[in-house]
Amino acid sequence: VKDVAFVVDNNIESDTIKAAITRTGGRTLASCKEFDVYKDIEPGKKSIAYSLTFKDDTKTLLEDDVMLVFNKIIKDVTEKLGAKLRG
């Protein structure tokens, strides 16, 4: 399980981000659940946090396996939706 938070424009819906996460996570991503929204983090922006659960029915996932997919998800969301990773 990994948590991630993105800072996005107020007009970007959580479902749009979840769709990008799910598409990129593929079969390794078992679930994506929003657990926090922080509005007005900066003018015109909000932070949305997700809990991502990774699973593979064919093998035990190693940290490297998970991080490979996790980093692809972050890259996809930041590049395609103009999001920033909240640190």
Side-chain angles (χ1 to χ4, degrees), residues 13-33:
E13 299 293 327
S14 179
D15 287 343
T16 302
I17 299 168
K18 284 175 76 170
I21 290 170
T22 301
R23 180 178 55 251
T24 305
R27 65 177 181 84
T28 307
L29 183 68
S31 71
C32 172
K33 297 180 182 172

Side-chain angles (χ1 to χ4, degrees), residues 38-56:
Y38 184 66
K39 295 182 180 182
D40 298 320
I41 191 162
E42 40 185 278
K45 304 280 186 183
K46 64 184 171 186
S47 171
I48 306 176
Y50 301 90
S51 180
L52 310 179
T53 303
F54 297 89
K55 180 180 176 188
D56 190 322

Side-chain angles (χ1 to χ4, degrees), residues 1-79:
V1 176
K2 296 277 187 195
D3 292 343
V4 64
F6 296 103
V7 177
V8 296
D9 292 336
N10 282 332
N11 64 335
I12 295 179
E13 299 293 327
S14 179
D15 287 343
T16 302
I17 299 168
K18 284 175 76 170
I21 290 170
T22 301
R23 180 178 55 251
T24 305
R27 65 177 181 84
T28 307
L29 183 68
S31 71
C32 172
K33 297 180 182 172
E34 175 189 316
F35 69 88
D36 188 42
V37 177
Y38 184 66
K39 295 182 180 182
D40 298 320
I41 191 162
E42 40 185 278
K45 304 280 186 183
K46 64 184 171 186
S47 171
I48 306 176
Y50 301 90
S51 180
L52 310 179
T53 303
F54 297 89
K55 180 180 176 188
D56 190 322
D57 292 331
T58 63
K59 66 177 185 172
T60 300
L61 288 175
L62 302 174
E63 181 70 15
D64 288 346
D65 300 324
V66 172
M67 289 308 296
L68 182 67
V69 177
F70 186 66
N71 289 329
K72 284 181 183 178
I73 289 169
I74 292 169
K75 182 179 180 190
D76 188 55
V77 172
T78 56
E79 288 180 355

